[in-house]
Amino acid sequence: MNKSTRDNEQMPPAGGNVLAMPAAVPRPGDVVAELLRNGAQALLEKALEAEIAAHLASYESLQDSQGRQRIVRNGYLPQRELQTGVGPVEVQVPRARDQEPHAAGGPIQFRSTLLPPYLRRSAAMDELLPWLHLKGISTGDFGEALEALVGPQARGLSSSTISRLKQVWAQEYEEWSQRDLRGQRFVYLWIDGIFCQARLEEEKQCLLVAIGADAEGRKQLVGLTDGYRESEQSWLELLLDLQRRGLEAGPELAIGDGALGFWKAIRKVYPQTRTQRCWVHKTRNVLDKLPKGGQSKAKAALQAIWMAATKREAESAFQHFQRVWGPKYPRAAECLTKDREELLAFYDFPAEHWRHLRTTNPIESVFATVRLRTVKTRGCLSRKTAFAMVYRLLLSAQGKWRRLNGTESLPKVIEGVKFEDGIQVVKRAA
């Protein structure tokens, strides 16, 4: 089912009444829309006040070293605009202060789960509903939760309507996962394994996700499935399925962390694909093998490698790190140098693309919110429903992904044009 079809459909709940989902933001002069916006704002404010009150009550007996109540109310965060189904609503999230932030265990902070910092737009119900579901709100409570966000019209969202919507999303995911990929070509591929164990059925399963950049620099979700940890077999099944559905040519470069399963699998399916290790993951792994007192200097030394203007300068920075840290901390030096070739692969690609190729940030930034929405939830969520919810969130995020820099260089990469230190190698005439 395509987007235009979904937007124009009306979903009949039990009893035969038709629920008309808001298709567009009403005109500013529409009195009814203004009333709905005011109602949504008032309800949202009440919900946020109840949330901060519950937070303060949970620490009511906690005192600081001076005998004062440690967690106290501290006004509001700056006002911001939330895009809802009835137009923009101005909101202010309440704030709490820890009067003894340096106590053991670190500061106690208040973060609204109803309106987290990253949630700015909820105009589409098919984006908001998965978010609420992954936060642990049951189907029967959706009407009340949505009423606080979009106004009185949410009362018509019956349990049967929500259940039918989830069935539609599950069907959309199944159709997407079997789509024809013939004629598709992805220049770069970012991969990662995301552990969202709290509500999936198997404790050791994770979400395997692949995001690709096509010849025009557009990023899109390429693969999403589950696997046993990040095993070679799980990644092999995903890659073979992409190939079976028509993705014959592999990416020129695959970017990922140190999960050995993927690297073994891609060599079997797309042997010509080069590999780039994520510098964020590698930096974290190296620093974990160093004492905290020296981590800041070591981090700067690592940054000097991947920020070097040329591969030769990066090699020199590699040697410097080995000389400084290797004698005392051989495990940290070994962790870095064992993937030397894969860490510096990006130098053989256009310099405009380096910022995109050095890390798996295209996946990390998207899944940061998905992790927050799944890892702390309670209750049972089936595998089928979990994929439907995550797929809907990713599909919504995909519309906001920015294109790669230097798109004019992408066809050259596909054609096999050589780059050295990010600059195209020009062949001299014989």
Side-chain angles (χ1 to χ4, degrees):
M1 184 181 296
N2 58 39
K3 184 178 186 298
S4 61
T5 304
R6 292 198 310 273
D7 287 345
N8 292 326
E9 272 196 344
Q10 294 179 326
M11 187 68 63
N17 294 326
V18 174
L19 170 67
M21 300 295 285
V25 177
R27 296 187 304 273
D30 191 321
V31 177
V32 176
E34 186 66 27
L35 289 173
L36 290 176
R37 281 196 292 270
N38 292 338
Q41 183 172 4
L43 289 167
L44 182 55
E45 288 173 353
K46 290 179 181 178
L48 291 170
E49 290 297 333
E51 192 175 28
I52 187 70
H55 174 78
L56 295 174
S58 64
Y59 295 102
E60 187 176 9
S61 60
L62 186 63
Q63 296 183 338
D64 63 12
S65 56
Q66 300 180 30
R68 303 173 301 177
Q69 185 170 338
R70 180 174 164 181
I71 309 301
V72 297
R73 181 68 181 265
N74 188 32
Y76 296 88
L77 291 171
Q79 191 175 65
R80 60 189 170 103
E81 190 176 85
L82 174 69
Q83 296 295 333
T84 73
V86 291
V89 172
E90 298 292 337
V91 295
Q92 276 190 301
V93 178
R95 185 167 56 184
R97 183 175 75 247
D98 186 346
Q99 301 200 100
E100 200 168 41
H102 302 297
I108 297 173
Q109 298 179 331
F110 169 71
R111 292 187 176 90
S112 173
T113 57
L114 179 63
L115 195 63
Y118 49 75
L119 185 62
R120 297 279 179 172
R121 301 178 184 273
S122 59
M125 289 294 182
D126 58 359
E127 178 180 355
L128 183 56
L129 294 180
W131 179 82
L132 292 173
H133 197 72
L134 288 173
K135 287 302 296 181
I137 295 177
S138 63
T139 300
D141 294 332
F142 267 57
E144 181 179 353
L146 285 170
E147 187 173 341
L149 286 173
V150 300
Q153 79 235 33
R155 295 172 185 169
L157 285 173
S158 66
S159 298
S160 60
T161 301
I162 300 299
S163 296
R164 293 178 188 180
L165 285 172
K166 290 192 292 185
Q167 291 175 6
V168 170
W169 294 331
Q171 181 61 34
E172 287 177 358
Y173 167 73
E174 291 299 326
E175 293 175 358
W176 173 85
S177 64
Q178 296 300 319
R179 70 198 186 285
D180 190 347
L181 295 174
R182 285 175 293 182
Q184 296 260 24
R185 179 66 192 273
F186 298 102
V187 188
Y188 303 124
L189 191 72
W190 295 267
I191 62 96
D192 204 354
I194 310 297
F195 287 87
C196 300
Q197 301 175 358
R199 301 195 73 183
L200 293 177
E201 295 171 334
E202 299 293 336
E203 290 184 358
K204 295 182 179 180
Q205 285 191 326
C206 66
L207 302 178
L208 304 181
V209 59
I211 292 176
D214 63 19
E216 296 180 354
R218 294 179 300 227
K219 298 174 190 171
Q220 60 178 284
L221 183 64
V222 178
L224 174 66
T225 186
D226 58 351
Y228 182 82
R229 295 189 181 275
E230 294 185 67
S231 67
E232 176 185 352
Q233 181 61 32
S234 297
W235 281 113
L236 188 62
E237 291 174 4
L238 185 149
L239 294 174
L240 286 174
D241 183 59
L242 295 177
Q243 191 179 64
R244 175 188 65 82
R245 289 187 282 119
L247 196 63
E248 293 294 337
E252 299 300 319
L253 185 70
I255 306 98
D257 63 8
L260 296 178
F262 174 79
W263 308 117
K264 293 179 180 178
I266 198 167
R267 282 194 289 269
K268 293 181 178 180
V269 182
Y270 300 119
Q272 303 303 318
T273 296
R274 295 190 60 186
T275 55
Q276 168 69 46
R277 294 295 173 91
C278 171
W279 269 100
V280 171
H281 285 88
K282 178 58 70 175
T283 298
R284 188 183 304 137
N285 293 339
V286 172
L287 294 182
D288 283 344
K289 296 171 176 58
L290 294 170
K292 288 189 176 181
Q295 288 185 1
S296 60
K297 289 185 177 180
K299 186 176 182 180
L302 292 171
Q303 186 178 18
I305 301 174
W306 58 266
M307 287 293 289
T310 67
K311 190 172 184 179
R312 183 175 181 179
E313 292 176 11
E315 295 279 5
S316 177
F318 248 108
Q319 295 174 4
H320 176 73
F321 188 94
Q322 289 177 300
R323 288 194 299 266
V324 173
W325 303 97
K328 280 190 176 182
Y329 308 104
R331 290 178 61 243
E334 170 61 21
C335 178
L336 176 66
T337 56
K338 69 184 180 71
D339 297 318
R340 188 173 190 146
E341 182 178 348
E342 290 82 1
L343 286 167
L344 301 181
F346 69 89
Y347 281 104
D348 297 332
F349 293 85
E352 299 93 335
H353 302 168
W354 288 1
R355 62 178 300 176
H356 306 288
L357 305 181
R358 290 182 290 214
T359 75
T360 55
N361 186 60
I363 291 181
E364 291 293 321
S365 59
V366 172
F367 264 92
T369 56
V370 175
R371 280 195 184 98
L372 290 174
R373 298 171 190 184
T374 57
V375 73
K376 294 183 179 179
T377 54
R378 296 179 176 85
C380 178
L381 187 67
S382 69
R383 174 186 179 276
K384 183 177 180 180
T385 306
F387 272 101
M389 300 299 101
V390 173
Y391 168 69
R392 285 306 313 171
L393 290 171
L394 288 173
L395 203 62
S396 175
Q398 180 174 295
K400 306 178 184 70
W401 292 344
R402 62 183 296 271
R403 288 194 180 192
L404 268 63
N405 296 337
T407 54
E408 66 280 358
S409 298
L410 289 168
K412 297 178 182 179
V413 175
I414 294 175
E415 293 167 7
V417 174
K418 300 298 182 183
F419 288 82
E420 184 177 321
D421 293 329
I423 307 298
Q424 180 178 342
V425 176
V426 179
K427 295 182 179 179
R428 296 180 179 178

